[in-house]
Amino acid sequence: MLKFDVVIVGSGLAGMTLALHLAERCKVAVVTKRDLLEGSSSYAQGGIAAVLDTDDTVEEHIRDTLVAGAGLCNAATTRFIVEHSKEAIDWLIDLGVPFTRDATHQTGYHLTREGGHSHRRIIHAADATGAAVTTTLGQKLKAHPNITVLEEHIAIDLITSKRLGLEGRRAYGIYALDKQADRVVTIAAPHTIIAAGGAGKVYLYTTNPDTATGDGIAMGWRAGCRVANMEFIQFHPTCLYHPHSKSFLISEAVRGEGGILRLPDGTRFMPSHDARAELAPRDVVARAIDFEMKKHGLDCVYLDISYKPAHFIREHFPNIYAHCLELGIDITQEPIPVVPAAHYTCGGLVTDLAGRTDVDGLYAVGEAACTGLHGANRLASNSLLECLVIGKAAAADILATPPGTQPAIPDWDDSQVTDPDEEVVISHNWDELRRAMWDYVGIVRTNKRLERALHRIELLREEISEYYRHFHVSNDLIELRNLVVTAELIVRSAMERKESRGLHYSRDYPETLAEAHDTVLTPQR
């Protein structure tokens, strides 16, 4: 058994922020199922939204967030996070994050603008902000004597009072599969943090890395946490469409810097969908692209920034330029083929502003959590900001909370299971689940589609549960078990909402109700 003061599940920006804020006073374990930098944070291109310019105000950033969130943002949460945005960026700069500089700007840094923002307020490191931030923080993590990074370990489940036959509702750590040793380890800690990211892989097409399988959300749900607003899945409007490129994102900033969406014949179509055209929020742009693709029977549409000077494109979007060029697309000369893809899970485990969940000793931060910041649609570049601000607040709460006594925790018992006889069951169910979600629970939904999806998910869940009970755990089985739970939460949440709002669009309920309510699901306890 491994013992720590804090165990963090996930190594994206939320998990790293917590670890660094805690490590001076706590022994911290960071559990990550691949290597330290393999997560959605590292793939974030655009940047981090913050009020840095004297022409910008906290009130305007709050207003932009509330408008994008379509009436569902929690006003107190939004204010708390935006008011702490400059402090969060200052912390990253002090740690040495190499944001793109601009000597002509009062801040000394280049600020860009993205869809839904009324000002240039996105601080960035060229077009690879996530990688710059996580690489810098990752080096600090690995160098810190109080932080143990457990790579190639995937969390299986939380160790809870219920599992141990105790009174109350508390978490005492996790069971995790050490993939290289192929054995389950017990990691005990009085404070457990879920920072495991979102659930993009529940869909056939996603911008997310392969690790985004809803693990933290599913584990929290099984442990007794409520989830909120799981129906609000953000589809990024512009994922590169190419047979040899999986999940490559074409940043929002390309549209922010003047990129134009066109049909194959060159016709610009966004102005006919929204007065803000290409700078409309993501849900509007994604639905417009989906509409045009279905109307014209297209495989993709095109994002064109080739009319800008070549040096401007190469300077602002070096990674996008290089990646497309490898595939034979010169974005200084021709438009980029793009399609919408599942991108961000706006809902998650219900938390307060310190990241506390319904289970004592259990926190959730980042994409796995639902603080109420994103409402019915996340505003571009607010997600990394949320990781930083709530991560710091959760660390402060943990440091102020005396650890309770840890009970005796038994090791993982796999004496009643055997090696799997046919692993094709996992790959088949994985594929079926993701196709059902893409076909029936995508950008545009109907009652009938949701019913079909739920029926298939229930059958798959039973089959996967039976498989889990009888066979040794593996990485793929753990992820599939979590994906099917998360898929069901998305569908059941979507069925609860009898309106169209933000990212949830239903043909059967096209109107938006006068009053906005969160969709909250409560597990059987």
Side-chain angles (χ1 to χ4, degrees), residues 67-132:
V67 168
L72 263 192
C73 298
N74 181 299
T77 298
T78 306
R79 178 167 294 280
F80 177 77
I81 290 172
V82 173
E83 283 181 345
H84 289 86
S85 62
K86 185 177 186 306
E87 174 191 312
I89 299 301
D90 288 343
W91 181 67
L92 291 179
I93 290 169
D94 288 345
L95 288 175
V97 174
F99 291 115
T100 298
R101 293 186 174 273
D102 179 355
T104 66
H105 195 272
Q106 53 170 310
T107 62
Y109 293 95
H110 182 268
L111 303 180
T112 192
R113 183 179 169 194
E114 294 180 353
H117 288 276
S118 56
H119 284 271
R120 285 183 170 266
R121 65 166 70 98
I122 317 298
I123 190 167
H124 61 100
D127 59 350
T129 305

Side-chain angles (χ1 to χ4, degrees), residues 255 261 268 270-281 284-285:
R255 297 201 314 283
L261 284 162
R268 185 184 185 189
M270 274 312 299
S272 64
H273 290 270
D274 192 281
R276 293 163 290 187
E278 280 79 11
L279 289 177
V284 176
V285 179

Side-chain angles (χ1 to χ4, degrees), residues 137-155:
L137 271 59
Q139 289 165 351
K140 306 278 185 194
L141 238 75
K142 288 200 163 181
H144 203 292
N146 275 352
I147 299 174
T148 301
V149 179
L150 297 170
E151 295 181 315
E152 300 295 334
H153 283 63
I154 179 169

